[in-house]
Amino acid sequence: MYSTAFLDLPPLVRAAGTVRLPGSKSISNRVLLLAGLAEGTTAVHDLLDSDDTRVMLDALAALGCGLRRDGAVLHVTGLGGRLHAREAKLFLGNAGTAMRPLTAALAVLAATQGGAFELSGVPRMHERPIGDLVDALRGLGCPVADLGRAGYPPLRVGDGAAHALRTDAPIRVRGDVSSQFLTALLLALPLIAGERDVAIEVDGELISKPYIDITLRLLERFGISVQREGYARFVIPRGAQYRSPGSIHVEGDASSASYFVALGAIAGVDVPVRIEGVGLDSIQGDIRFVDAARAMGAVVDGGPGWLEVRRGAWPLKALTLDCNHIPDAAMTLAMMALYADGPSRLTGIASWRVKETDRIDAMAAELRKLGATVVDGPDFIEVTPPRRWQAAALHTYDDHRMAMCGSLAAFNPLSAGAGAGLPVRILDPRCVAKTFPDYFEALFDLVTPAPDGVPVLTVDGPTASGKGTLAAELAARLGYHLLDSGALYRATALAAQDAGISLEDEPALAALAGRLELCFTGHQVFLAGRDITDPLRLESTGGMASRVSIHPAVRQALHGLQLSFRRVPGLVADGRDMGTVVFPGAELKVFLTASADARAQRRHKQLISKGNPANIGDLRADLMARDERDKNRAVAPLKPAEDAMLLDNSSLSVESSVEQVMGWWQQRRPF
């Protein structure tokens, strides 16, 4: 997962391959609560691992549910409808699928068994309405206290005493704000249906009906068969009791599938994008996004648990659609509208305004940044594609779906005919952790960038100038791949040592370099399966690497390997010839220098801290000898590129150096 302040996506032109979706958020949190309320232990397979499910799990643990992991399977031992804890303060982040159902379930349990629970979340959660659910619970006889603004979290449910609840008349709830209010009641009321039927009647037209279908199907899996009259009246039968199904699988998230369906429709030119984990047999309403994508021109095939999508009509076909049945996935349609042949109008999306952010306002603002013409109203948005695309830094509003939708704008050259196209900056990419922590990694595995579109930042300099430390910090800040070119030469030297090859035998060294079995995993480096992280950093290894790197054939053998590090979203490369030879077209080239005395002092401090003996005089002499060798080698001598930015860091801290280079980098970005 990317935890950077921003993530720059280069212009993208193609997509192909297979993505495996994480579990559905809507199903995951419903299943967790049902398992937590039921009698017995439920084995939950393919559960979504995200911010929203983590807050639900924390809440269940605080309430006394048993949680045990067995590999990828979570075993939940439920409460059997009985409170184990009588008081708790539950923090539920920005998870509506946790806040609303837990409010209802705990209100009922606290009222009937005596308890008091406080439920709160992040500031945005305290702006998301819950008053209609609270009104329904109070009408039932449950004590519910507002701890902040009336009608919004935080709340306290229960007052510590037991109360008789009024189940002889239907419980009424509005259905035109959020279907989660009805879902919450459907999940909670079986707890009090022991002696009589319990009825719910919906006031107004129910929105997001497919989400209620999910709730009803899952209730049936846990032993509750709800009788209903359309979507206006629901009856939980007398004697209803939650029973664990023993084992249950969570299917892939259909809302998350929408981004990859769109990806195939926009960029699946040569071969389709395959999506696994959800298929045409899905129980989730958002699978109907496939119908909308087909209407825009996508070619979609599918079966149980899989979809394949490729581009059909191009440009995409503009559409007008009532999206009441696919409110979350409809956001993806708004981004697809950027690539359409005319204005697209999406209606029935009033619920966008009470989600993680006001999604109508947010989407309109960000689409306009890209150059689109947007008209919006209380429950609609109309998008006209840009006449001229603009590079944009897209605000995500701490909303996972805004971030994932925004990534689709990186294909802008396809419709703009603007050559290499324009990059897109996603601010706060970490917000995807709410439902799809590895979204950007999954996206990058599928996409092809525009030729020379992947940005490169090079850091060259002499031995012990701090280029490796600086490059690593820059890569971490930018979320880019890191190429430590020196590590390739050190690995070649170690491999030569292992194989008994002389460091003067250029042909043998070049052949060895061409078949290196190197693997970089986090901060570890493996050579033919052996961890060489520590040997790689020895002074003796650095000396051998300097002798290896003077051979032109070795440098040529490693050249292709170095180029392969240039992958989406970008690359920071450090070495001695990154800006002059390997990546001469790099967007920013930095040549790092420091005096021999400063470098010797740093290296001495580094070695002493690791318990290695060192002499500053010897280190200084060795550094100067390496400098001379590197400057005078026949191929790719150490020198700054003509357009390099020179940075003498003799008296600068690492942080100061990073800030200076980041400043130069931002000046070169189009945002």
Side-chain angles (χ1 to χ4, degrees), residues 19-103:
V19 61
R20 180 78 187 180
L21 295 174
S24 161
K25 177 189 73 169
S26 298
I27 296 176
S28 290
N29 268 353
R30 283 169 171 80
V31 164
L32 285 176
L33 182 56
L34 288 166
L37 296 174
E39 187 81 43
T41 298
T42 305
V44 184
H45 299 258
D46 303 319
L47 181 73
L48 172 65
D49 180 12
S50 74
D51 288 351
D52 278 18
T53 52
R54 279 191 286 273
V55 296
M56 178 64 90
L57 287 168
D58 290 344
L60 294 181
L63 295 171
C65 295
L67 303 174
R68 179 177 63 83
R69 289 196 177 275
D70 182 8
V73 181
L74 177 71
H75 298 269
V76 181
T77 300
L79 303 176
R82 297 176 297 277
L83 285 178
H84 289 200
R86 301 285 169 173
E87 294 182 356
K89 293 184 178 182
L90 306 178
F91 176 78
L92 301 173
N94 198 12
T97 56
M99 175 64 77
R100 276 75 176 260
L102 275 169
T103 294

Side-chain angles (χ1 to χ4, degrees), residues 156-214:
R156 181 174 60 248
V157 297
D159 57 10
H163 299 262
L165 299 184
R166 297 183 287 272
T167 59
D168 54 337
I171 295 102
R172 307 195 70 84
V173 64
R174 282 181 60 185
D176 57 352
V177 175
S178 172
S179 65
Q180 288 181 3
F181 301 154
L182 175 56
T183 279
L185 292 173
L186 287 169
L187 295 176
L189 294 180
L191 297 168
I192 54 170
E195 297 182 0
R196 68 169 69 204
D197 292 350
V198 179
I200 308 168
E201 292 184 354
V202 178
D203 292 332
E205 180 68 20
L206 180 66
I207 65 171
S208 306
K209 295 180 179 71
Y211 286 99
I212 299 304
D213 294 335
I214 294 175

Side-chain angles (χ1 to χ4, degrees), residues 172-317:
R172 307 195 70 84
V173 64
R174 282 181 60 185
D176 57 352
V177 175
S178 172
S179 65
Q180 288 181 3
F181 301 154
L182 175 56
T183 279
L185 292 173
L186 287 169
L187 295 176
L189 294 180
L191 297 168
I192 54 170
E195 297 182 0
R196 68 169 69 204
D197 292 350
V198 179
I200 308 168
E201 292 184 354
V202 178
D203 292 332
E205 180 68 20
L206 180 66
I207 65 171
S208 306
K209 295 180 179 71
Y211 286 99
I212 299 304
D213 294 335
I214 294 175
T215 301
L216 296 174
R217 289 194 185 197
L218 292 175
L219 280 167
E220 195 161 355
R221 290 293 309 277
F222 281 83
I224 310 295
S225 295
V226 178
Q227 302 156 15
R228 66 188 180 99
E229 298 172 14
Y231 291 93
R233 179 180 169 87
F234 300 82
V235 178
I236 292 115
R238 180 180 63 183
Q241 184 176 1
Y242 281 128
R243 297 188 302 274
S244 170
S247 179
I248 191 167
H249 288 259
V250 177
E251 69 179 37
D253 192 277
S255 301
S256 296
S258 71
Y259 312 116
F260 297 99
V261 172
L263 186 66
I266 294 167
V269 180
D270 303 313
V271 294
V273 171
R274 183 177 174 89
I275 302 158
E276 296 182 347
V278 68
L280 297 177
D281 60 337
S282 172
I283 69 170
Q284 299 167 74
D286 273 356
I287 194 62
R288 293 173 64 186
F289 177 85
V290 166
D291 298 331
R294 284 171 170 159
M296 295 190 78
V299 177
V300 185
D301 295 318
W306 66 273
L307 300 167
E308 286 189 349
V309 189
R310 58 184 174 85
R311 187 202 285 183
W314 193 256
L316 295 175
K317 299 175 184 177

Side-chain angles (χ1 to χ4, degrees), residues 523-539:
H523 296 290
Q524 291 180 291
V525 184
F526 295 86
L527 174 63
R530 178 169 67 97
D531 188 345
I532 60 168
T533 307
D534 291 333
L536 211 62
R537 300 302 174 188
L538 294 175
E539 285 297 298

Side-chain angles (χ1 to χ4, degrees), residues 4 6-8 457 473-480 569 572 662 665:
T4 51
F6 60 85
L7 181 61
D8 290 351
L457 190 164
E473 289 292 326
L474 291 169
R477 287 275 194 102
L478 295 168
Y480 283 3
V572 177
M662 286 296 296
W665 182 252

Side-chain angles (χ1 to χ4, degrees), residues 533-549:
T533 307
D534 291 333
L536 211 62
R537 300 302 174 188
L538 294 175
E539 285 297 298
S540 57
T541 306
M544 291 192 299
S546 184
R547 292 169 61 190
V548 166
S549 66

Side-chain angles (χ1 to χ4, degrees), residues 490-501 512 516 527 530:
R490 295 186 204 104
T492 301
L494 288 174
Q497 187 179 58
D498 291 345
I501 296 174
L512 182 65
L516 278 182
L527 174 63
R530 178 169 67 97

